[in-house]
Amino acid sequence: MKAAVLKGKGQLEVTDFPEPPLAPGCVKIAVSYCGLCGTDLHKFAGRAGSRPVVYPVPLGHEASGVVAELGEGVTSFAIGDRVVVDPNWHCGRCWYCQNGKTHLCSASRGVVKGMAEYICPPVDNVYRVPGSLPLKYAALSEPLSCCLRGTDNLGALPGETVAVIGCGSIGQMMLQILSRIAGKIAAIDLAPEKEKAALENGADIFVCSAGGGVKEKLAAAGFEHIGRVIECVGHPSASELALDIADRGATVVLFGVGAPDAAASLKLYESFTKELTVKFSYIDPFTTERAVAMLACGKIDPEKLISAEIGLDELPEEIITRRYCSSGKVIVRISGEDPARRPLC
């Protein structure tokens, strides 16, 4: 099958690759679309994503597609069903799984290599897509499900003041979610050109963090009491900024994926006197169905998040140049097939 195969650090080639075997209890899916994730860029640069990289391997995990074949014992799907996939498999037997922490499973592994013509994930990881939702948009389900985990951990209350640090595709998605929960929302980013998209996706103000003085700029705009902060960058400076602008008693979620050796400084006394709650957010336990529902019901606007649709052959150049992914979510067209959809009743 045709796939975008990562063969080593900085070595990505669209080439022929063996089809994954269809094991019992699994579903063979013809991939229609796959989103380009920031962790794909990390892997290309030689860093780990949610898990270590073993070469050679097709990139991608934000896949939507059509059921092409059913493994032995699978009865809950039919050939031709439109689906998305949670890429994170858990064993169900280890201590973490038995104690409700399936995303921390000792044997957890990725089961989607979506920049390829076919994937064969376990049936429990497959979710049906409603007829009203185009498969191009359905490919946003995986990053949205991760964002829902992040906002769940944030625990924002209706009407509360929230700050989002980082206005890439994930930050913009967070803004859309929080705009349906929070009161005032501040968006913060180093790049001033992100302002337009941030305001369109739900921010009330945009603060450029270049040059510092972020806390002062926020206070001047009436954001001196920020009860929730979510950081979507993965850089130490962004984590430190999140802790700095958080008000007394605030909750901070460090959502961004940092480099394995990255370390941020923590002002112990200040954090103590502010009694901060600091959380992290890892993958997407049991949020995929909610993500699909939000997309299908129009609670998330995909067009405000997608910066480009490209073909699989264009992926290596995009990863090098970041022509489109620097300003939003890039959707990679694998087959582009999307069976006839029916309107939402």
Side-chain angles (χ1 to χ4, degrees), residues 189-202:
D189 198 281
L190 279 168
E193 61 269 20
K194 301 283 183 69
E195 179 175 7
K196 183 175 182 293
L199 296 177
E200 288 178 347
N201 281 303

Side-chain angles (χ1 to χ4, degrees), residues 47-291:
R47 289 169 50 185
S50 297
R51 299 175 184 84
V53 180
V54 179
Y55 306 119
V57 61
L59 277 184
H61 54 272
E62 301 177 358
S64 65
V66 181
V67 174
E69 190 176 346
L70 302 174
E72 180 184 343
V74 176
T75 59
S76 52
F77 289 92
I79 293 173
D81 281 350
R82 304 163 68 254
V83 295
V84 294
V85 187
D86 176 357
N88 303 293
W89 176 85
H90 59 271
C91 71
R93 298 183 301 275
C94 70
W95 185 91
Y96 299 98
C97 288
Q98 291 294 310
N99 285 275
K101 301 175 182 179
T102 57
H103 60 305
L104 304 179
C105 171
S106 298
S108 178
R109 58 185 173 88
V111 293
V112 172
K113 312 303 177 187
M115 300 293 185
E117 291 183 301
Y118 295 101
I119 54 176
C120 292
V123 66
D124 289 345
N125 288 66
V126 183
Y127 293 79
R128 192 172 279 103
V129 172
S132 59
L133 180 60
L135 287 178
K136 175 181 174 180
Y137 296 161
L140 295 173
S141 298
E142 194 278 340
L144 179 58
S145 68
C146 291
C147 287
L148 288 174
R149 171 66 174 180
T151 53
D152 286 350
N153 284 343
L154 189 65
L157 301 173
E160 198 164 14
T161 299
V162 178
V164 176
I165 299 177
C167 295
S169 60
I170 288 295
Q172 301 290 355
M173 197 172 281
M174 293 289 192
L175 288 171
Q176 285 206 29
I177 297 170
L178 291 168
S179 68
R180 299 190 171 277
I181 305 171
K184 296 191 298 182
I185 303 174
I188 303 164
D189 198 281
L190 279 168
E193 61 269 20
K194 301 283 183 69
E195 179 175 7
K196 183 175 182 293
L199 296 177
E200 288 178 347
N201 281 303
D204 295 291
I205 65 165
F206 176 87
V207 173
C208 180
S209 55
V214 174
K215 185 184 288 188
E216 293 73 22
K217 294 174 185 176
L218 288 167
F223 281 74
E224 66 271 25
H225 297 296
I226 299 176
R228 312 279 167 169
V229 184
I230 189 159
E231 176 275 324
C232 306
V233 181
H235 190 276
S237 62
S239 299
E240 291 163 6
L241 177 61
L243 298 171
D244 183 47
I245 66 173
D247 195 19
R248 285 174 287 182
T251 296
V252 177
V253 172
L254 303 180
F255 183 91
V257 181
D261 59 349
S265 297
L266 173 65
K267 295 179 180 178
L268 292 175
Y269 184 75
E270 180 180 311
S271 299
F272 159 69
T273 57
K274 288 166 71 171
E275 199 181 52
L276 295 180
T277 298
V278 181
K279 298 181 178 181
F280 293 79
S281 186
Y282 181 61
I283 60 177
D284 58 348
F286 307 114
T287 51
T288 301
E289 192 167 4
R290 290 163 55 196

Side-chain angles (χ1 to χ4, degrees), residues 289-301:
E289 192 167 4
R290 290 163 55 196
V292 172
M294 289 189 75
L295 288 163
C297 294
K299 303 299 185 184
I300 297 294
D301 186 345

